[in-house]
Amino acid sequence: MENMESAGGAESADGAPEGFPKIISVDDHTVEPPHVWQDRLPSRYRGTGPRVVRAPLKEMTFLGGKFAPVMGAKGDDGPVGDWWVYEDLHRPLTRLDTAVGYDRDEIRLEVITFEQMRPGSHSVPDRLADMDVNHVQSALCFPTFPRFCGQTFTEASDRELGLLCVRAYNDWMVEEWCGPEAHGRLIPLTLIPLWDPELAAAEVRRNAARGVRAVAFSEIPPHLGLPSVHTDHWDPFFRACDETGTVIAMHIGSSSRMPSTSADAPPAVGSTITFANCCFSMVDWLMSGKFERFPNLRIMYAEGQIGWIPYILERADVVWEENRGWGGVAEKVLRPPSELFAGHVFGCFFDDAFGLRNLDAIGAGNVLYETDYPHSDSTWPKSREVGEAQMGHLAPDVVERIVRGNAIDLLGLTPDGLWRP
């Protein structure tokens, strides 16, 4: 089975690839099982560290990009779900955390229990089975309860506990989620303590020593009350990534602020413009000078899609050429932003026919494929069919690069697309 799963597309008699290559998804998600922190935290912290409680929902809203659930007390009326409880935080599992297998018109913002979600959301064997159904060989998975770059632990009051929670998550990710049972098909993505760049650098190096080549980060740190990438604050972290070959992975929403237009805008508004934070973030990075200072640094935008990239590169080049004298970048950005993009930035998509029609303006080497399992936007179980329909005009070698080759190079996988510590 492992050999079969490690293959790309089948080969014809003359050795050329045939059929759609096996997918390496660079943006899937794991729903952490209840034991992750309870099994790994010191006993004195198990009462305040993350744990799961079954309780009713009192009320829940999601407007203007803000998610606001309220947990009821035992015996209260209301739908019952499983909640993560951590210090003063009460965060329910919702159908949006794990929506695959449901008709899209049936997906609602509602609380659920572990028993009500697809087992592949949190079980390694079931995840591999669902990957098989979807023509997926390997997958990189972002967190759920910690949020997309560990904001949950950054917002907590006890920093000592927060650091232990980050390390516990990373140990679970490497040793269990991506452990022997995964047969190299699950690729580790780790977290950092965002509140301390030196501790963050140490955590990058700790995980790089065991083969990890991807770390989650915020697309727009100031939205989290943290310094921007234009400062020197993050340099210890960036240096650790540069020296270890660790890619910085930024998921939409990793700034805890989904794009919206007003406090009463329905979620559909934000869902349409989810790429916006990626767009703003990429301009930040291209104008920061960090790629000049850290030449091996590479970043990727998960679930940001790619169709918006050509215009932003065109505009950034014009600004750099015509306005850099007064624009504050002449001394630190020494090459056109589009050149920096080509060497350092990767866009990720799961459904972007427009972007693929304009691939020449982006670069086939800067694009990665994803399936977003188990979220409501996921193309599971038809990611292959979506890819075939949208990439049918591309040469087979270009499809191979987008669907798996670029991910192999970026994430340090084996030539046949597996993670080996």
Side-chain angles (χ1 to χ4, degrees), residues 165-339:
C165 286
V166 167
R167 289 175 175 168
Y169 177 86
N170 291 341
D171 290 344
W172 170 80
M173 167 62 61
V174 175
E175 299 166 5
E176 189 171 331
W177 184 252
C178 301
E181 196 175 30
H183 304 293
R185 297 179 60 191
L186 295 174
I187 306 162
L189 171 70
T190 52
L191 303 176
I192 55 169
L194 289 163
W195 58 90
D196 188 319
E198 294 286 353
L199 289 175
E203 191 62 12
V204 167
R205 296 183 191 280
R206 182 175 83 94
N207 291 307
R210 47 185 176 174
V212 177
R213 292 294 178 267
V215 63
F217 188 59
S218 174
E219 60 206 348
I220 307 177
H223 285 349
L224 303 180
L226 299 169
S228 79
V229 298
H230 299 289
T231 70
D232 294 336
H233 175 83
W234 298 104
D235 284 4
F237 167 60
F238 295 159
R239 185 173 298 108
C241 293
D242 176 82
E243 293 175 355
T244 61
T246 301
V247 62
I248 295 175
M250 293 171 284
H251 195 285
I252 58 166
S254 56
S255 58
S256 295
R257 188 185 299 179
M258 293 298 290
S260 193
T261 56
S262 63
D264 59 350
V269 172
S271 184
T272 302
I273 58 175
T274 52
F275 70 92
N277 282 353
C278 299
C279 172
F280 301 156
S281 173
M282 190 179 81
V283 176
D284 254 352
W285 277 89
L286 293 176
M287 299 299 186
S288 70
K290 296 305 179 185
F291 296 138
E292 305 282 1
R293 295 187 57 196
F294 303 106
N296 297 314
L297 198 61
R298 292 175 295 177
I299 65 174
M300 58 172 271
Y301 288 102
E303 209 173 320
Q305 312 300 341
I306 60 175
W308 54 272
I309 292 175
Y311 172 72
I312 294 300
L313 294 180
E314 177 183 290
R315 177 60 185 166
D317 277 358
V318 169
V319 169
W320 180 83
E321 184 66 38
E322 298 183 358
N323 301 333
R324 64 179 179 267
W326 61 264
V329 298
E331 302 301 320
K332 60 183 180 180
V333 182
L334 307 181
R335 291 178 290 156
S338 60
E339 290 186 19

